[in-house]
Amino acid sequence: MSFSSCCLKTFTWGGTPIGVEGKLANNDCYTTGHNKEIAILLVHDIFGWKYPNVRLIADHLAREVNATIYVPDFFGGWVVDWAAVEEDRWSEIDLDGITENQSREIRGPEIVACARAIKAELGFRRLGALGYCYGGWAVCHLASKGQEIALVDAISMVHPSWLVKEDIDNITVPFQVLAPEHDPSYTPELKGYTFQTALGLNVPFNYQHFPGTVHGALVRGNEEVKGEREAMARAKNAIVTWFKQYLQ
Protein backbone atom coordinates (compact mmCIF):
# COMPACT_ATOMS: atom_id res chain seq x y z
CA MET A 1 0.00 0.00 0.00
CA SER A 2 1.24 3.48 -0.84
CA PHE A 3 0.18 7.00 -1.63
CA SER A 4 0.02 8.13 -5.24
CA SER A 5 -0.18 11.52 -6.92
CA CYS A 6 -3.99 11.24 -7.09
CA CYS A 7 -4.01 11.51 -3.29
CA LEU A 8 -2.41 14.93 -3.64
CA LYS A 9 -5.09 16.66 -5.69
CA THR A 10 -5.87 19.74 -3.65
CA PHE A 11 -7.83 22.94 -3.43
CA THR A 12 -7.86 24.94 -0.22
CA TRP A 13 -11.19 26.54 0.66
CA GLY A 14 -11.83 29.86 2.32
CA GLY A 15 -13.01 30.29 5.88
CA THR A 16 -11.39 30.11 9.30
CA PRO A 17 -11.66 27.01 11.52
CA ILE A 18 -13.20 27.78 14.92
CA GLY A 19 -12.01 24.81 17.02
CA VAL A 20 -9.07 24.50 19.38
CA GLU A 21 -5.85 22.51 19.46
CA GLY A 22 -5.05 20.22 22.37
CA LYS A 23 -4.32 16.56 23.09
CA LEU A 24 -6.20 13.28 22.67
CA ALA A 25 -4.43 10.28 24.19
CA ASN A 26 -0.82 11.13 23.26
CA ASN A 27 -1.63 12.83 19.96
CA ASP A 28 -2.01 16.49 19.10
CA CYS A 29 -5.64 17.07 18.21
CA TYR A 30 -8.03 19.64 16.75
CA THR A 31 -11.36 19.64 18.60
CA THR A 32 -14.59 21.40 17.71
CA GLY A 33 -18.10 21.16 19.12
CA HIS A 34 -19.55 20.93 22.63
CA ASN A 35 -21.78 17.84 22.84
CA LYS A 36 -20.72 15.76 25.85
CA GLU A 37 -22.43 12.54 24.74
CA ILE A 38 -21.85 12.19 21.00
CA ALA A 39 -18.44 12.36 19.30
CA ILE A 40 -16.90 11.68 15.90
CA LEU A 41 -13.25 10.75 15.38
CA LEU A 42 -12.14 12.14 12.02
CA VAL A 43 -9.10 10.45 10.47
CA HIS A 44 -7.47 12.81 8.00
CA ASP A 45 -6.01 12.13 4.56
CA ILE A 46 -2.43 12.72 3.38
CA PHE A 47 -2.80 16.46 3.96
CA GLY A 48 -2.89 15.92 7.70
CA TRP A 49 -4.72 17.30 10.70
CA LYS A 50 -3.86 20.95 10.05
CA TYR A 51 -5.30 21.09 6.55
CA PRO A 52 -7.97 23.86 6.57
CA ASN A 53 -10.52 21.90 4.54
CA VAL A 54 -10.50 19.04 7.06
CA ARG A 55 -10.98 21.42 9.97
CA LEU A 56 -13.77 23.29 8.21
CA ILE A 57 -15.56 20.00 7.56
CA ALA A 58 -15.14 19.13 11.25
CA ASP A 59 -16.72 22.47 12.18
CA HIS A 60 -19.68 21.76 9.87
CA LEU A 61 -20.20 18.33 11.39
CA ALA A 62 -20.02 19.70 14.92
CA ARG A 63 -22.84 22.14 14.15
CA GLU A 64 -25.02 19.98 11.94
CA VAL A 65 -24.72 16.62 13.69
CA ASN A 66 -24.51 18.29 17.12
CA ALA A 67 -21.41 16.33 18.07
CA THR A 68 -17.90 16.94 19.33
CA ILE A 69 -15.40 16.26 16.54
CA TYR A 70 -11.83 15.13 17.20
CA VAL A 71 -9.18 15.39 14.45
CA PRO A 72 -5.94 13.95 15.86
CA ASP A 73 -2.56 14.14 14.17
CA PHE A 74 -1.84 10.62 12.96
CA PHE A 75 1.27 11.58 10.97
CA GLY A 76 3.61 12.27 13.88
CA GLY A 77 3.88 15.99 13.21
CA TRP A 78 4.55 15.70 9.47
CA VAL A 79 2.48 18.02 7.28
CA VAL A 80 2.52 18.00 3.49
CA ASP A 81 3.70 21.14 1.69
CA TRP A 82 0.32 22.27 0.35
CA ALA A 83 1.87 24.98 -1.84
CA ALA A 84 4.15 22.43 -3.54
CA VAL A 85 1.14 20.29 -4.36
CA GLU A 86 -0.95 23.16 -5.71
CA GLU A 87 1.99 24.25 -7.87
CA ASP A 88 2.64 20.68 -9.15
CA ARG A 89 6.12 20.49 -7.62
CA TRP A 90 5.75 16.72 -7.08
CA SER A 91 9.48 16.00 -6.85
CA GLU A 92 9.60 17.82 -3.51
CA ILE A 93 7.23 15.33 -1.86
CA ASP A 94 8.65 12.00 -0.69
CA LEU A 95 5.62 9.74 -1.11
CA ASP A 96 7.60 6.57 -0.39
CA GLY A 97 8.91 7.99 2.86
CA ILE A 98 5.46 9.18 3.89
CA THR A 99 4.02 5.74 3.22
CA GLU A 100 6.67 4.00 5.30
CA ASN A 101 6.24 6.33 8.27
CA GLN A 102 2.43 6.11 8.31
CA SER A 103 2.06 2.34 8.08
CA ARG A 104 -0.77 0.42 9.72
CA GLU A 105 1.67 -1.04 12.21
CA ILE A 106 2.81 2.40 13.34
CA ARG A 107 -0.46 4.34 13.30
CA GLY A 108 -3.01 1.61 14.05
CA PRO A 109 -2.32 1.57 17.81
CA GLU A 110 -2.53 5.37 17.96
CA ILE A 111 -5.89 5.39 16.20
CA VAL A 112 -7.28 2.74 18.57
CA ALA A 113 -5.91 4.62 21.59
CA CYS A 114 -7.68 7.80 20.53
CA ALA A 115 -11.00 6.00 20.09
CA ARG A 116 -10.63 4.35 23.48
CA ALA A 117 -9.85 7.69 25.10
CA ILE A 118 -13.02 9.26 23.70
CA LYS A 119 -15.21 6.43 24.98
CA ALA A 120 -13.50 5.29 28.19
CA GLU A 121 -11.71 8.38 29.49
CA LEU A 122 -13.88 11.22 28.19
CA GLY A 123 -17.10 9.29 28.73
CA PHE A 124 -18.88 9.80 25.41
CA ARG A 125 -21.94 7.60 25.00
CA ARG A 126 -21.78 7.29 21.21
CA LEU A 127 -18.80 7.48 18.85
CA GLY A 128 -18.63 7.59 15.07
CA ALA A 129 -15.52 7.43 12.91
CA LEU A 130 -15.04 9.26 9.62
CA GLY A 131 -12.09 8.61 7.32
CA TYR A 132 -10.94 10.41 4.19
CA CYS A 133 -8.53 8.60 1.81
CA TYR A 134 -5.88 7.27 4.23
CA GLY A 135 -8.52 7.34 6.95
CA GLY A 136 -10.61 4.76 5.09
CA TRP A 137 -8.65 1.75 6.30
CA ALA A 138 -8.41 3.32 9.76
CA VAL A 139 -12.15 3.55 10.38
CA CYS A 140 -12.56 -0.03 9.18
CA HIS A 141 -9.89 -1.00 11.71
CA LEU A 142 -11.88 0.64 14.48
CA ALA A 143 -15.02 -1.21 13.38
CA SER A 144 -13.31 -4.59 13.03
CA LYS A 145 -14.47 -7.73 14.79
CA GLY A 146 -10.85 -8.09 15.90
CA GLN A 147 -11.23 -5.29 18.46
CA GLU A 148 -11.57 -6.56 22.02
CA ILE A 149 -14.31 -4.03 22.80
CA ALA A 150 -16.74 -2.08 20.64
CA LEU A 151 -14.87 1.12 19.82
CA VAL A 152 -17.29 2.81 17.41
CA ASP A 153 -21.02 2.76 16.71
CA ALA A 154 -20.94 3.70 13.00
CA ILE A 155 -18.35 4.63 10.38
CA SER A 156 -18.16 6.56 7.12
CA MET A 157 -15.33 6.47 4.60
CA VAL A 158 -14.82 8.91 1.75
CA HIS A 159 -12.77 7.92 -1.33
CA PRO A 160 -10.97 5.36 0.87
CA SER A 161 -7.44 4.18 0.16
CA TRP A 162 -5.17 1.48 1.60
CA LEU A 163 -8.20 -0.80 1.87
CA VAL A 164 -7.82 -4.55 1.53
CA LYS A 165 -10.64 -7.06 1.27
CA GLU A 166 -10.22 -8.16 4.87
CA ASP A 167 -11.04 -4.63 6.01
CA ILE A 168 -14.50 -4.99 4.50
CA ASP A 169 -14.91 -8.58 5.68
CA ASN A 170 -14.50 -7.63 9.33
CA ILE A 171 -16.80 -4.59 9.62
CA THR A 172 -19.25 -5.00 12.51
CA VAL A 173 -21.15 -1.67 12.61
CA PRO A 174 -23.27 0.40 10.18
CA PHE A 175 -20.99 1.73 7.46
CA GLN A 176 -21.16 4.29 4.70
CA VAL A 177 -19.00 4.65 1.59
CA LEU A 178 -18.85 7.82 -0.54
CA ALA A 179 -17.11 6.92 -3.78
CA PRO A 180 -16.00 9.08 -6.73
CA GLU A 181 -16.50 7.61 -10.19
CA HIS A 182 -12.79 7.82 -11.05
CA ASP A 183 -10.55 6.52 -8.27
CA PRO A 184 -7.42 4.40 -8.75
CA SER A 185 -7.24 3.88 -4.98
CA TYR A 186 -10.78 2.52 -4.58
CA THR A 187 -10.89 0.39 -7.71
CA PRO A 188 -13.97 -0.98 -9.50
CA GLU A 189 -12.96 -4.44 -8.26
CA LEU A 190 -12.86 -3.31 -4.65
CA LYS A 191 -16.11 -1.39 -5.05
CA GLY A 192 -17.75 -4.55 -6.33
CA TYR A 193 -16.28 -6.59 -3.49
CA THR A 194 -17.63 -4.06 -0.99
CA PHE A 195 -21.16 -4.51 -2.37
CA GLN A 196 -20.96 -8.28 -2.46
CA THR A 197 -19.57 -8.55 1.04
CA ALA A 198 -21.88 -5.96 2.59
CA LEU A 199 -24.90 -8.12 1.76
CA GLY A 200 -23.65 -10.79 4.14
CA LEU A 201 -22.45 -8.64 7.03
CA ASN A 202 -25.90 -8.09 8.58
CA VAL A 203 -25.23 -4.40 9.26
CA PRO A 204 -26.76 -1.30 7.63
CA PHE A 205 -24.80 -0.22 4.55
CA ASN A 206 -25.00 3.00 2.54
CA TYR A 207 -23.05 3.46 -0.70
CA GLN A 208 -23.17 6.71 -2.66
CA HIS A 209 -21.72 7.15 -6.13
CA PHE A 210 -20.42 10.54 -7.28
CA PRO A 211 -20.37 10.58 -11.10
CA GLY A 212 -17.75 12.69 -12.83
CA THR A 213 -15.64 13.16 -9.69
CA VAL A 214 -12.11 11.97 -8.95
CA HIS A 215 -10.23 10.80 -5.87
CA GLY A 216 -9.93 13.60 -3.33
CA ALA A 217 -12.66 15.79 -4.78
CA LEU A 218 -15.07 15.31 -1.87
CA VAL A 219 -12.74 16.97 0.61
CA ARG A 220 -10.27 18.84 -1.61
CA GLY A 221 -12.31 19.63 -4.70
CA ASN A 222 -12.07 22.92 -6.55
CA GLU A 223 -15.20 25.01 -6.04
CA GLU A 224 -14.59 26.60 -9.43
CA VAL A 225 -14.70 23.26 -11.30
CA LYS A 226 -18.14 22.36 -12.61
CA GLY A 227 -19.84 19.82 -10.39
CA GLU A 228 -17.20 19.66 -7.67
CA ARG A 229 -18.82 22.25 -5.40
CA GLU A 230 -22.12 20.36 -5.62
CA ALA A 231 -20.37 17.03 -4.97
CA MET A 232 -18.63 18.38 -1.87
CA ALA A 233 -21.92 19.71 -0.50
CA ARG A 234 -23.69 16.43 -1.25
CA ALA A 235 -20.93 14.45 0.49
CA LYS A 236 -21.04 16.64 3.58
CA ASN A 237 -24.83 16.36 3.76
CA ALA A 238 -24.67 12.58 3.35
CA ILE A 239 -22.22 12.28 6.25
CA VAL A 240 -24.38 14.51 8.44
CA THR A 241 -27.50 12.46 7.71
CA TRP A 242 -25.65 9.19 8.34
CA PHE A 243 -24.27 10.13 11.72
CA LYS A 244 -27.46 11.82 12.88
CA GLN A 245 -29.24 8.55 12.20
CA TYR A 246 -26.78 6.23 13.94
CA LEU A 247 -25.34 8.36 16.74
CA GLN A 248 -28.31 10.32 18.04
Side-chain angles (χ1 to χ4, degrees):
M1 295 177 290
S2 63
F3 290 113
S4 63
S5 59
C6 73
C7 296
L8 291 172
K9 169 185 168 64
T10 185
F11 182 81
T12 304
W13 304 338
T16 302
I18 60 173
V20 297
E21 293 187 3
K23 288 284 189 179
L24 179 65
N26 292 319
N27 294 60
D28 291 331
C29 184
Y30 175 81
T31 305
T32 181
H34 304 286
N35 192 316
K36 300 300 183 182
E37 294 194 346
I38 298 172
I40 297 172
L41 177 63
L42 193 162
V43 185
H44 55 72
D45 62 3
I46 190 175
F47 285 85
W49 74 299
K50 286 183 175 288
Y51 192 53
N53 295 10
V54 169
R55 295 188 173 194
L56 291 170
I57 288 174
D59 291 343
H60 273 287
L61 296 179
R63 289 191 300 269
E64 296 177 40
V65 180
N66 185 21
T68 300
I69 317 299
Y70 293 93
V71 189
D73 172 20
F74 290 123
F75 280 179
W78 178 86
V79 178
V80 73
D81 185 340
W82 306 323
V85 174
E86 292 186 340
E87 296 168 10
D88 293 331
R89 292 184 275 118
W90 305 109
S91 62
E92 299 179 17
I93 301 170
D94 179 14
L95 290 177
D96 291 338
I98 298 167
T99 298
E100 181 179 355
N101 292 330
Q102 321 311 339
S103 69
R104 290 179 178 233
E105 292 75 18
I106 294 174
R107 302 304 173 190
E110 294 181 10
I111 292 166
V112 169
C114 285
R116 284 180 176 159
I118 293 171
K119 272 284 189 78
E121 296 174 20
L122 300 179
F124 283 87
R125 179 175 57 86
R126 304 283 286 176
L127 174 60
L130 168 63
Y132 288 91
C133 183
Y134 173 84
W137 76 267
V139 299
C140 288
H141 182 59
L142 293 175
S144 171
K145 64 180 68 172
Q147 300 298 338
E148 58 196 47
I149 59 172
L151 294 174
V152 292
D153 299 291
I155 65 172
S156 176
M157 44 186 153
V158 185
H159 37 71
S161 64
W162 289 35
L163 282 183
V164 295
K165 291 179 178 179
E166 289 77 10
D167 291 326
I168 305 299
D169 294 340
N170 291 321
I171 292 176
T172 60
V173 302
F175 72 107
Q176 178 186 62
V177 182
L178 307 185
E181 178 180 3
H182 308 290
D183 192 343
S185 295
Y186 190 44
T187 63
E189 177 191 6
L190 196 50
K191 290 175 181 176
Y193 185 83
T194 302
F195 268 101
Q196 180 183 6
T197 304
L199 297 176
L201 291 177
N202 197 32
V203 296
F205 169 57
N206 174 247
Y207 182 99
Q208 296 202 26
H209 175 68
F210 289 76
T213 59
V214 299
H215 183 91
L218 304 183
V219 64
R220 296 177 266 108
N222 189 335
E223 293 178 311
E224 297 181 359
V225 174
K226 182 179 180 180
E228 289 197 359
R229 183 185 184 92
E230 293 78 8
M232 287 187 293
R234 180 186 153 202
K236 185 268 294 179
N237 291 337
I239 294 166
V240 168
T241 299
W242 181 254
F243 283 126
K244 287 180 72 173
Q245 181 174 4
Y246 287 102
L247 297 182
Q248 293 183 351

